[in-house]
Amino acid sequence: MSANLDILMFAALAVAVLSGFPVAFSIAGVAVIFAYLGWMLGVMDISLLGAFGQRVFGLISNQVLIAIPLFVLMGALLEKSRIAEELLDTMGRAFGQLRGGLGISVVLVGALLAASTGIVGATVVAMGMIALPTMLRSGYDPRVASGIVCTAGTLGQIIPPSTLLIILADVMSNAYQQAQYEQGKFSVEALSVGQFFAAALLPGLLLVALYLLYILVRGFARPQDMPPADVSFARPGVSELLRAVVPPVLLIVTVLGSILSGIATPTEAAGVGAIGALLMAGAKLGRYRGVILASAAALIALAVAADVFPVRFQRSDLATGDIVAGVFYILFAVIGVSGIAAALLNVIREKVVQDALTSTMTMTSMIFATILAASMFSLVFIGLGGEERVAHWLQSLPGGAIGALIVTMLIVFLMGFFLDFVEISVIVLPLVVPTLILLGHDPIWLGIILAINLQTSFLTPPFGFSLFYLRGAAPKEISTGQIYQGVIPFICLQAIGVLLIWFVPQIATWLPEVMF
C-alpha cells in the first residue's frame, strides 16, 4: 500500500470531487490527509510541506495571473450592462432569415463575446435566455439549438483573452523551464501569455469556421432542424448593426492588439480592457454619453501618440515640441479621467458595477482557491514519488513521443467528464507536460491542442459546466438529455479541430513565430 500512495491519492481525489464537496476544499483536504499518511508510513518527509508557503507567495505575486480578475471584470461589465444582449439580438435579426441563420448568429456572437469577455458562464446563460427561446419559436430542433448555444459559449476558453490560456501559459512556461533544467540548460527561456494568445487565435477561428460549416451543411441537408426565422423579424439597419458590433470589436482590437504588438503586457492590456468595458457600459446607460465618448477618443489618441512620440518630462534637454506634446498628453489624460468618472457614476447609479464586482470576486476567488489547493496537492504528490512514476510511465509507453501524447490527450479528455479545466490544468498538466516537452514536443503547439481538449471539458457530460449553465437558463420544455445529445456533434468537431492542428502544426505555431 505505501508504495502506491500516489495512485490512491488520485483515486481519493476523484471520490471527494464526485461526492459534491467544494472542489478546492476536496483537493486541499486529500493533500493534507495523504501527506500525514505518507509521513506515518515512512514514505514522505513531512517537512516538504514547508515549501507550501513559498508556493502561496509565488501565486499571489505572480504578475501573469493578475490579468485574470481584470479580464473577468471586463466580461462581467459587458454582461451586466446588457451590451452582450443587444449584440445577440441585433445579430439574430441580421442572419435569422437564412436556413440555420439563428445558429450562425449565435456562433458569431459567441466568438465576439469570447474575444471581448472570455467568460463561458455569462455567455452561455445570456444566449440561453435570449437566443434559445427565439430558436425554439422558429422551429429549431431542441437538441440542435441547445448544442449550438452550449458550444458557442465555450469559445471563450480558446479565443483570447481567456482565463484558460492565462493559466495554461503559466503552467506551460514553468514546465518548459523545468524541462530545460533537466536537459542541463541553466540559461532557460520562458514562454509568455502573449505567445499563447497569438498561438490560439487561428485555432479559435478554425473552430468557429468548423461550427459555421456544420450549421450551414445541416441547414441544407435537414432544413426541418433549422428553419429560417419568422419573416416578421425586423432586420437591423446598417447604423444599428454598426452600433452593436463596432464597440466590442474596438475593445477586442485594443486589448489583443496591444498584447500582440508588444505595446502592453497581458496584465496591462487587461486593465485597458476593464476601463474600455466600463466606458462602453457607461455610454450604454445614457447619461454623460458625450463626455464618455470624448474620453474614449482622448485615451485612444493618448495611447497612440505616446507610443509614436514618447515624452519624458524628467529629462533636462526637452525641446519645445516635447513640451507642447506633453501638454496635449496631459489634456488627453484629464479628458480621459473625466469620462471614466462619468461612466463610473452611471454604472454605480444603475447598480451595474456592484453586480459586476460581485460576479468577478466570486469567479476569481474560485479560480485562485483551486490553484492554491492544487499547488498543495501537487507538492504532496511529488513527495510521494508520483512525479517520477508519471515520467517513467510516459517514457515507457509504446509509440514514443506520439504514443505518450495520445495517451495524455485521452486521459485529459476523460478527466474532463468529471473535473473542471482549472483542476486539470494545475494538477495533471504540471506532472505530464515536462516529460512531453523532453520527448520533443513543441511547448506552444502542445499547449494549444491541450487547450482545445480542456475546452471540451465544458461540453462533456455529466459534469460539463456549459451544460449546467444552459440547464439553469433553458426553458422547461428542453430536457437534460436533449442538451447532452445536442453537444455530441460539436465535441466531434472539436476532435476534428485537434486533428487538423496535430497534422498542420503551423496553424498554432505560425503567428507566434512571426510576432515573437
Side-chain angles (χ1 to χ4, degrees), residues 253-276:
V253 170
T254 304
V255 173
L256 285 184
S258 62
I259 296 172
L260 299 181
S261 63
I263 295 173
T265 66
T267 304
E268 292 164 348
V272 170
I275 291 296

PDB file of all heavy atoms in Angstrom, residues 253-276:
ATOM      1  N   VAL A 253      -9.839  44.701 -30.550  1.00  0.00           N
ATOM      2  CA  VAL A 253      -8.640  45.175 -31.253  1.00  0.00           C
ATOM      3  C   VAL A 253      -7.695  45.883 -30.279  1.00  0.00           C
ATOM      4  O   VAL A 253      -6.472  45.692 -30.321  1.00  0.00           O
ATOM      5  CB  VAL A 253      -9.038  46.119 -32.404  1.00  0.00           C
ATOM      6  CG1 VAL A 253      -7.815  46.808 -32.999  1.00  0.00           C
ATOM      7  CG2 VAL A 253      -9.780  45.339 -33.486  1.00  0.00           C
ATOM      8  N   THR A 254      -8.266  46.673 -29.374  1.00  0.00           N
ATOM      9  CA  THR A 254      -7.433  47.400 -28.411  1.00  0.00           C
ATOM     10  C   THR A 254      -6.690  46.448 -27.483  1.00  0.00           C
ATOM     11  O   THR A 254      -5.475  46.570 -27.280  1.00  0.00           O
ATOM     12  CB  THR A 254      -8.303  48.362 -27.579  1.00  0.00           C
ATOM     13  OG1 THR A 254      -8.994  49.234 -28.449  1.00  0.00           O
ATOM     14  CG2 THR A 254      -7.448  49.172 -26.623  1.00  0.00           C
ATOM     15  N   VAL A 255      -7.430  45.482 -26.925  1.00  0.00           N
ATOM     16  CA  VAL A 255      -6.824  44.573 -25.941  1.00  0.00           C
ATOM     17  C   VAL A 255      -5.836  43.624 -26.610  1.00  0.00           C
ATOM     18  O   VAL A 255      -4.657  43.547 -26.232  1.00  0.00           O
ATOM     19  CB  VAL A 255      -7.918  43.779 -25.196  1.00  0.00           C
ATOM     20  CG1 VAL A 255      -7.297  42.711 -24.308  1.00  0.00           C
ATOM     21  CG2 VAL A 255      -8.775  44.715 -24.356  1.00  0.00           C
ATOM     22  N   LEU A 256      -6.309  42.881 -27.617  1.00  0.00           N
ATOM     23  CA  LEU A 256      -5.428  41.905 -28.268  1.00  0.00           C
ATOM     24  C   LEU A 256      -4.322  42.594 -29.050  1.00  0.00           C
ATOM     25  O   LEU A 256      -3.180  42.124 -29.065  1.00  0.00           O
ATOM     26  CB  LEU A 256      -6.239  41.002 -29.196  1.00  0.00           C
ATOM     27  CG  LEU A 256      -7.101  39.940 -28.531  1.00  0.00           C
ATOM     28  CD1 LEU A 256      -7.766  39.060 -29.572  1.00  0.00           C
ATOM     29  CD2 LEU A 256      -6.284  39.079 -27.579  1.00  0.00           C
ATOM     30  N   GLY A 257      -4.670  43.710 -29.698  1.00  0.00           N
ATOM     31  CA  GLY A 257      -3.651  44.421 -30.472  1.00  0.00           C
ATOM     32  C   GLY A 257      -2.509  44.912 -29.601  1.00  0.00           C
ATOM     33  O   GLY A 257      -1.340  44.823 -29.979  1.00  0.00           O
ATOM     34  N   SER A 258      -2.824  45.422 -28.410  1.00  0.00           N
ATOM     35  CA  SER A 258      -1.773  45.924 -27.521  1.00  0.00           C
ATOM     36  C   SER A 258      -0.876  44.796 -27.016  1.00  0.00           C
ATOM     37  O   SER A 258       0.319  44.993 -26.811  1.00  0.00           O
ATOM     38  CB  SER A 258      -2.396  46.681 -26.348  1.00  0.00           C
ATOM     39  OG  SER A 258      -3.217  45.823 -25.577  1.00  0.00           O
ATOM     40  N   ILE A 259      -1.471  43.597 -26.836  1.00  0.00           N
ATOM     41  CA  ILE A 259      -0.663  42.457 -26.376  1.00  0.00           C
ATOM     42  C   ILE A 259       0.205  41.930 -27.506  1.00  0.00           C
ATOM     43  O   ILE A 259       1.424  41.751 -27.366  1.00  0.00           O
ATOM     44  CB  ILE A 259      -1.566  41.325 -25.837  1.00  0.00           C
ATOM     45  CG1 ILE A 259      -2.331  41.775 -24.595  1.00  0.00           C
ATOM     46  CG2 ILE A 259      -0.736  40.083 -25.500  1.00  0.00           C
ATOM     47  CD1 ILE A 259      -3.382  40.791 -24.131  1.00  0.00           C
ATOM     48  N   LEU A 260      -0.425  41.658 -28.651  1.00  0.00           N
ATOM     49  CA  LEU A 260       0.291  41.016 -29.756  1.00  0.00           C
ATOM     50  C   LEU A 260       1.331  41.940 -30.386  1.00  0.00           C
ATOM     51  O   LEU A 260       2.336  41.458 -30.921  1.00  0.00           O
ATOM     52  CB  LEU A 260      -0.705  40.542 -30.817  1.00  0.00           C
ATOM     53  CG  LEU A 260      -1.730  39.507 -30.348  1.00  0.00           C
ATOM     54  CD1 LEU A 260      -2.645  39.082 -31.481  1.00  0.00           C
ATOM     55  CD2 LEU A 260      -1.048  38.274 -29.755  1.00  0.00           C
ATOM     56  N   SER A 261       1.111  43.261 -30.318  1.00  0.00           N
ATOM     57  CA  SER A 261       2.086  44.195 -30.883  1.00  0.00           C
ATOM     58  C   SER A 261       3.232  44.485 -29.921  1.00  0.00           C
ATOM     59  O   SER A 261       4.208  45.128 -30.298  1.00  0.00           O
ATOM     60  CB  SER A 261       1.393  45.506 -31.263  1.00  0.00           C
ATOM     61  OG  SER A 261       0.859  46.131 -30.108  1.00  0.00           O
ATOM     62  N   GLY A 262       3.096  44.028 -28.673  1.00  0.00           N
ATOM     63  CA  GLY A 262       4.149  44.240 -27.689  1.00  0.00           C
ATOM     64  C   GLY A 262       4.066  45.559 -26.960  1.00  0.00           C
ATOM     65  O   GLY A 262       4.952  45.899 -26.166  1.00  0.00           O
ATOM     66  N   ILE A 263       2.992  46.344 -27.221  1.00  0.00           N
ATOM     67  CA  ILE A 263       2.859  47.637 -26.541  1.00  0.00           C
ATOM     68  C   ILE A 263       2.591  47.441 -25.054  1.00  0.00           C
ATOM     69  O   ILE A 263       3.094  48.181 -24.204  1.00  0.00           O
ATOM     70  CB  ILE A 263       1.716  48.465 -27.186  1.00  0.00           C
ATOM     71  CG1 ILE A 263       2.067  48.810 -28.625  1.00  0.00           C
ATOM     72  CG2 ILE A 263       1.434  49.724 -26.378  1.00  0.00           C
ATOM     73  CD1 ILE A 263       0.938  49.486 -29.388  1.00  0.00           C
ATOM     74  N   ALA A 264       1.784  46.411 -24.707  1.00  0.00           N
ATOM     75  CA  ALA A 264       1.397  46.196 -23.308  1.00  0.00           C
ATOM     76  C   ALA A 264       1.543  44.732 -22.940  1.00  0.00           C
ATOM     77  O   ALA A 264       1.453  43.842 -23.803  1.00  0.00           O
ATOM     78  CB  ALA A 264      -0.056  46.640 -23.093  1.00  0.00           C
ATOM     79  N   THR A 265       1.781  44.484 -21.669  1.00  0.00           N
ATOM     80  CA  THR A 265       1.754  43.113 -21.166  1.00  0.00           C
ATOM     81  C   THR A 265       0.287  42.672 -21.042  1.00  0.00           C
ATOM     82  O   THR A 265      -0.614  43.517 -21.043  1.00  0.00           O
ATOM     83  CB  THR A 265       2.426  43.028 -19.785  1.00  0.00           C
ATOM     84  OG1 THR A 265       1.620  43.776 -18.844  1.00  0.00           O
ATOM     85  CG2 THR A 265       3.832  43.592 -19.810  1.00  0.00           C
ATOM     86  N   PRO A 266       0.026  41.374 -20.918  1.00  0.00           N
ATOM     87  CA  PRO A 266      -1.366  40.935 -20.746  1.00  0.00           C
ATOM     88  C   PRO A 266      -2.056  41.577 -19.548  1.00  0.00           C
ATOM     89  O   PRO A 266      -3.243  41.901 -19.611  1.00  0.00           O
ATOM     90  CB  PRO A 266      -1.225  39.419 -20.561  1.00  0.00           C
ATOM     91  CG  PRO A 266       0.006  39.075 -21.325  1.00  0.00           C
ATOM     92  CD  PRO A 266       0.930  40.238 -21.108  1.00  0.00           C
ATOM     93  N   THR A 267      -1.333  41.783 -18.462  1.00  0.00           N
ATOM     94  CA  THR A 267      -1.935  42.406 -17.279  1.00  0.00           C
ATOM     95  C   THR A 267      -2.305  43.852 -17.561  1.00  0.00           C
ATOM     96  O   THR A 267      -3.395  44.319 -17.206  1.00  0.00           O
ATOM     97  CB  THR A 267      -0.971  42.328 -16.086  1.00  0.00           C
ATOM     98  OG1 THR A 267      -0.610  40.957 -15.870  1.00  0.00           O
ATOM     99  CG2 THR A 267      -1.612  42.873 -14.828  1.00  0.00           C
ATOM    100  N   GLU A 268      -1.408  44.589 -18.231  1.00  0.00           N
ATOM    101  CA  GLU A 268      -1.704  45.981 -18.595  1.00  0.00           C
ATOM    102  C   GLU A 268      -2.880  46.038 -19.575  1.00  0.00           C
ATOM    103  O   GLU A 268      -3.774  46.881 -19.452  1.00  0.00           O
ATOM    104  CB  GLU A 268      -0.467  46.632 -19.205  1.00  0.00           C
ATOM    105  CG  GLU A 268       0.667  46.830 -18.208  1.00  0.00           C
ATOM    106  CD  GLU A 268       2.009  47.108 -18.869  1.00  0.00           C
ATOM    107  OE1 GLU A 268       2.116  46.918 -20.102  1.00  0.00           O
ATOM    108  OE2 GLU A 268       2.954  47.505 -18.169  1.00  0.00           O
ATOM    109  N   ALA A 269      -2.872  45.123 -20.545  1.00  0.00           N
ATOM    110  CA  ALA A 269      -3.959  45.087 -21.524  1.00  0.00           C
ATOM    111  C   ALA A 269      -5.294  44.732 -20.861  1.00  0.00           C
ATOM    112  O   ALA A 269      -6.348  45.233 -21.271  1.00  0.00           O
ATOM    113  CB  ALA A 269      -3.647  44.071 -22.623  1.00  0.00           C
ATOM    114  N   ALA A 270      -5.241  43.872 -19.844  1.00  0.00           N
ATOM    115  CA  ALA A 270      -6.471  43.538 -19.111  1.00  0.00           C
ATOM    116  C   ALA A 270      -7.017  44.774 -18.405  1.00  0.00           C
ATOM    117  O   ALA A 270      -8.237  44.990 -18.355  1.00  0.00           O
ATOM    118  CB  ALA A 270      -6.190  42.428 -18.096  1.00  0.00           C
ATOM    119  N   GLY A 271      -6.126  45.605 -17.855  1.00  0.00           N
ATOM    120  CA  GLY A 271      -6.562  46.867 -17.245  1.00  0.00           C
ATOM    121  C   GLY A 271      -7.196  47.790 -18.274  1.00  0.00           C
ATOM    122  O   GLY A 271      -8.238  48.411 -18.021  1.00  0.00           O
ATOM    123  N   VAL A 272      -6.589  47.857 -19.468  1.00  0.00           N
ATOM    124  CA  VAL A 272      -7.160  48.657 -20.556  1.00  0.00           C
ATOM    125  C   VAL A 272      -8.545  48.117 -20.930  1.00  0.00           C
ATOM    126  O   VAL A 272      -9.498  48.879 -21.139  1.00  0.00           O
ATOM    127  CB  VAL A 272      -6.224  48.628 -21.787  1.00  0.00           C
ATOM    128  CG1 VAL A 272      -6.917  49.250 -23.005  1.00  0.00           C
ATOM    129  CG2 VAL A 272      -4.936  49.372 -21.487  1.00  0.00           C
ATOM    130  N   GLY A 273      -8.664  46.783 -21.004  1.00  0.00           N
ATOM    131  CA  GLY A 273      -9.939  46.166 -21.351  1.00  0.00           C
ATOM    132  C   GLY A 273     -11.017  46.461 -20.322  1.00  0.00           C
ATOM    133  O   GLY A 273     -12.171  46.728 -20.677  1.00  0.00           O
ATOM    134  N   ALA A 274     -10.651  46.427 -19.040  1.00  0.00           N
ATOM    135  CA  ALA A 274     -11.629  46.711 -17.985  1.00  0.00           C
ATOM    136  C   ALA A 274     -12.103  48.168 -18.061  1.00  0.00           C
ATOM    137  O   ALA A 274     -13.300  48.442 -17.925  1.00  0.00           O
ATOM    138  CB  ALA A 274     -11.010  46.421 -16.611  1.00  0.00           C
ATOM    139  N   ILE A 275     -11.170  49.098 -18.314  1.00  0.00           N
ATOM    140  CA  ILE A 275     -11.556  50.507 -18.467  1.00  0.00           C
ATOM    141  C   ILE A 275     -12.422  50.680 -19.717  1.00  0.00           C
ATOM    142  O   ILE A 275     -13.428  51.411 -19.715  1.00  0.00           O
ATOM    143  CB  ILE A 275     -10.307  51.415 -18.543  1.00  0.00           C
ATOM    144  CG1 ILE A 275      -9.592  51.451 -17.182  1.00  0.00           C
ATOM    145  CG2 ILE A 275     -10.686  52.821 -18.981  1.00  0.00           C
ATOM    146  CD1 ILE A 275     -10.403  52.077 -16.070  1.00  0.00           C
ATOM    147  N   GLY A 276     -12.052  49.999 -20.810  1.00  0.00           N
ATOM    148  CA  GLY A 276     -12.840  50.077 -22.039  1.00  0.00           C
ATOM    149  C   GLY A 276     -14.259  49.564 -21.833  1.00  0.00           C
ATOM    150  O   GLY A 276     -15.232  50.179 -22.303  1.00  0.00           O
TER     151      GLY A 276
END
